DNA sequence: TATATATATGAATGCTTTTTCATATGAAAA
DNA sequence: TTTTCATATGAAAAAGCATTCATATATATA
């Protein structure tokens, strides 16, 4: 296997970090300002260990920064990259959201399927 | 489960479509202008069925457009979204690429591990 | 120091997605 | 109209990832 194996690695990992509802939910919550872990748990309705795992990933990719303050940890967006990125996609979605979601498999549909 | 299940669905799918080497390779090849499937196979060193599967996904997300011409199909970037998106990440990567790749598991490392 | 609160981590589980293989479709050329 | 070339598709195998659970660490407070 040639060197192109690693060529897109960082890009793939970066976009992969944006490819779950739970992490997108976190980033969106942080759009309105910095928050600590407990606050983020409440806002996203996710349990604490998941939030911590996810924040670690987001931080590792330079998507958020952390500030320690006592026993709390405040996370905030990397506004230079993430704000314009999300804005770009917001615009894209105005046109393509429906097409992207069409044919999407939901829990509801799967349960419905079961009852046949 | 509440309605937030679907809330970020389109965004998750969009970023997921950017989270493989093979599809990033395709987009990068298209940065230099439109190409047909066979050309993209050569440029990316991927087999044809994979390229077709991937192009379908990219098209479904509004990332590329297709033009039929005889028995060929020419694909081109959605420059409105994808060009600035990739540029934004190019810039981000200048700073974070190394951190993102650090600790990354490569085929080489895994094979080395095996020999112990 | 003992206890409570906030956050992080590791391992296991299950789920989703990529990739491959075999085959189908569709358009042109012989 | 048979053959060839270009591309698409479906299903199965392989790979990768999110989430959970149990537990650890770290900081503050009684």
């Amino acid at each position: 296997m040639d060197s192109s194996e690693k060529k897109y690695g960082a890009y793939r990992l970066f976009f992969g970090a944006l490819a779950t509802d739970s992490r997108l939910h976190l980033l969106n919550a942080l759009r309105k300002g910095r928050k600590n872990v407990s606050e983020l748990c409440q806002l996203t309705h996710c349990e604490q260990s998941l939030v911590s795992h996810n924040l670690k990933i987001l931080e590792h990719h330079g998507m958020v920064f952390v500030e320690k303050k006592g026993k709390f940890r405040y996370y905030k967006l990397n506004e230079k990259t993430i704000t314009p990125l999300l804005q770009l996609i917001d615009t894209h979605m105005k046109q393509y959201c429906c097409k992207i979601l069409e044919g999407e498999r939901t829990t509801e549909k799967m349960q419905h399927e079961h009852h046949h």
Side-chain angles (χ1 to χ4, degrees), chain A residues 65-98:
Chain A
F65 305 125
V66 62
E67 289 167 20
K68 298 185 191 190
K69 189 142 197 173
K71 59 179 170 180
F72 298 95
R73 285 178 169 232
Y74 286 89
Y75 285 87
K76 65 174 180 184
L77 274 194
N78 176 349
E79 303 218 17
K80 188 167 169 241
T81 302
I82 301 305
T83 306
L85 171 62
L86 292 179
Q87 243 175 265
L88 199 56
I89 310 306
D90 285 344
T91 302
H92 185 82
M93 282 306 168
K94 280 179 190 143
Q95 194 166 357
Y96 294 102
C97 180
C98 288

Side-chain angles (χ1 to χ4, degrees), chain A residues 12-25:
Chain A
R12 165 176 49 82
L13 293 166
F14 180 92
F15 288 120
L18 295 170
T20 76
D21 281 0
S22 53
R23 286 195 289 270
L24 289 168
H25 208 139

Side-chain angles (χ1 to χ4, degrees), chain A residues 31-111:
Chain A
R31 261 172 142 170
K32 290 149 206 156
R34 73 172 206 178
K35 305 266 185 304
N36 66 41
V37 177
S38 303
E39 289 170 332
L40 288 168
C41 288
Q42 285 179 235
L43 285 168
T44 64
H45 307 104
C46 287
E47 59 178 348
Q48 181 267 319
S49 73
L50 177 56
V51 170
S52 283
H53 278 303
N54 280 336
L55 287 169
K56 188 181 189 180
I57 290 169
L58 295 175
E59 196 202 354
H60 181 250
H61 289 84
M63 294 170 176
V64 303
F65 305 125
V66 62
E67 289 167 20
K68 298 185 191 190
K69 189 142 197 173
K71 59 179 170 180
F72 298 95
R73 285 178 169 232
Y74 286 89
Y75 285 87
K76 65 174 180 184
L77 274 194
N78 176 349
E79 303 218 17
K80 188 167 169 241
T81 302
I82 301 305
T83 306
L85 171 62
L86 292 179
Q87 243 175 265
L88 199 56
I89 310 306
D90 285 344
T91 302
H92 185 82
M93 282 306 168
K94 280 179 190 143
Q95 194 166 357
Y96 294 102
C97 180
C98 288
K99 189 182 180 189
I100 290 174
L101 284 174
E102 113 200 339
E104 172 65 343
R105 162 158 295 248
T106 67
T107 307
E108 241 181 69
K109 276 181 197 164
M110 290 168 66
Q111 286 174 346

